Amino acid sequence: MIQLLDVTKRYGSVQALGGVSLKVNRGEVLGLLGQNGAGKTTLLNILTGYLAPTSGSALIDGCDCLLNPLEAKRRLGYLPEHPPLYDEMTVREYLMFAAELRGVARKGLPAHVDEVMELTGLADMRHRLLGHLSKGYRQRAGFAQALCSDPEVLVLDEPTVGLDPKQITEIRQLIRSLSQGRTIVFSSHILTEVQQLCDHVVILHHGLVKLDSPMAQLGQGQEVTLRLRAQGSSSSLISKLRQLDGVTAVLPQPVAQENITEALITFHQVEEPERRLFALMSHLGTPILHLSRQGDSLEQIFLSAISGD
């Protein structure tokens, strides 16, 4: 649905993007992570046709954003970091204006705008001046204009920046609801936001892609660490765990209760390590009280990516 092919952007001697290539499949939510100045907004501006790349190309459903801008823009809605609102207009007037600009047929304008206001929680604010809205409702109005003409793709630049915790929660819920049947790309420097909302993550650093991965595969590698909590004597159980095929390390964890063992068990190049562990515990007749995988946090992965490790 979205494809960037070796996109570069230079401002004189400054390189904002250096050969960025990525792909977003239809119906996927992609999170762009990066520090301030990493190139996130530049990339989104190229994707939405606001900037021309120095080289490379950006495609929306096969339409080149530079060579065929009208066709590409018909397919996407854009919420910039600072929504382009006209404070002297009411919410409804503004959305009627935005929908008409986006080519919605005049006959269907009122019904379409009413639907967009319901979807974004603005129905009760329809007659309120945009200049009198709170920051959260102004952000909702920005979302609403991006949804005019019901685009297949949404591009969101820092959609929760400057909001209070309640407003952030509301906007995240809105993004989650809008992701049904749409392709969404949004930039953020909030790790938890990307972790909660995205199917795929790309980390930019100094204009370069440092990581491009499905969220489900983050932190997966040749080694898997399991946290085990079981009923039984620590000394004998730890010894048995260390003898298990594929185990490279067993690290006992402190436990306050008697006759309870807790440990971190690392397997190397083992498929379904949980199955091996279950088989051992069943053979020993030792009840498992807790078992989970220990993955790297997104914070650890992000810091590793931008440090070049």
Side-chain angles (χ1 to χ4, degrees):
M1 191 65 186
I2 297 174
Q3 196 168 13
L4 271 70
L5 304 172
D6 200 24
V7 170
T8 66
K9 182 62 181 178
R10 301 188 67 89
Y11 300 97
S13 61
V14 177
Q15 179 173 277
L17 292 176
V20 172
S21 295
L22 59 88
K23 183 179 181 181
V24 190
N25 297 318
R26 191 179 300 272
E28 196 170 57
V29 181
L30 172 74
L32 280 176
L33 272 175
Q35 297 172 294
N36 292 333
K40 302 187 302 295
T41 295
T42 298
L43 189 151
L44 296 187
N45 282 338
I46 289 172
L47 184 60
T48 54
Y50 279 71
L51 286 177
T54 303
S55 64
S57 57
L59 309 175
I60 304 287
D61 199 19
C63 297
D64 191 298
C65 298
L66 182 62
L67 301 179
N68 200 354
L70 290 181
E71 282 301 315
K73 288 176 182 178
R74 283 192 181 102
R75 291 163 168 77
L76 68 85
Y78 179 38
L79 174 65
E81 184 175 348
H82 303 290
L85 305 180
Y86 297 101
D87 289 349
E88 69 279 6
M89 285 184 171
T90 66
V91 170
R92 192 171 190 278
E93 288 170 344
Y94 172 68
L95 294 179
M96 291 284 285
F97 172 66
E100 190 169 0
L101 285 178
R102 294 297 302 274
V104 177
R106 288 202 170 202
K107 186 176 180 180
L109 269 176
H112 179 70
V113 167
D114 287 345
E115 182 181 351
V116 168
M117 287 191 294
E118 286 289 342
L119 186 61
T120 54
L122 287 169
D124 293 339
M125 299 289 164
R126 68 182 68 222
H127 300 304
R128 187 77 63 89
L129 288 174
L130 290 168
H132 294 171
L133 295 180
S134 67
K135 173 72 173 177
Y137 275 112
R138 288 176 68 85
Q139 201 74 347
R140 285 177 179 270
F143 265 102
Q145 66 79 24
L147 288 170
C148 287
S149 78
D150 195 22
E152 302 170 77
V153 176
L154 284 179
V155 177
L156 315 173
D157 190 2
E158 301 281 4
T160 60
V161 69
L163 301 182
D164 63 38
K166 181 175 183 295
Q167 292 167 339
I168 289 173
T169 300
E170 292 171 349
I171 293 300
R172 286 178 183 171
Q173 290 172 346
L174 179 58
I175 294 173
R176 195 174 289 113
S177 68
L178 294 176
S179 66
Q180 303 302 316
R182 288 186 178 85
T183 303
I184 297 179
V185 176
F186 76 90
S187 72
S188 180
H189 58 270
I190 304 174
L191 302 178
T192 54
E193 193 163 80
V194 171
Q195 200 157 13
Q196 289 174 16
L197 296 174
C198 294
D199 308 306
H200 202 103
V201 62
V202 167
I203 296 176
L204 289 179
H205 187 56
H206 296 320
L208 301 174
V209 174
K210 293 296 185 177
L211 182 139
D212 182 350
S213 170
M215 190 64 71
Q217 294 180 13
L218 282 183
Q220 292 187 3
Q222 292 186 320
E223 290 194 341
V224 174
T225 299
L226 303 181
R227 178 178 288 274
L228 170 71
R229 185 179 177 87
Q231 188 173 328
S233 168
S234 175
S235 57
S236 61
L237 184 54
I238 293 297
S239 175
K240 295 290 185 183
L241 289 170
R242 284 176 173 152
Q243 296 172 25
L244 194 60
D245 286 345
V247 169
T248 58
V250 177
L251 183 63
Q253 301 295 294
V255 181
Q257 296 173 268
E258 292 184 4
N259 204 37
I260 297 293
T261 298
E262 188 163 331
L264 296 177
I265 308 144
T266 301
F267 291 80
H268 182 70
Q269 291 185 330
V270 173
E271 291 186 7
E272 298 183 321
E274 293 90 347
R275 186 183 295 274
R276 293 196 182 189
L277 195 54
F278 271 118
L280 172 66
M281 302 302 279
S282 176
H283 175 72
L284 296 174
T286 303
I288 295 176
L289 305 178
H290 174 86
L291 181 63
S292 62
R293 286 201 179 198
Q294 299 290 110
D296 289 339
S297 70
L298 186 55
E299 180 179 6
Q300 291 171 314
I301 292 167
F302 177 78
L303 292 175
S304 176
I306 66 173
S307 67
D309 295 340

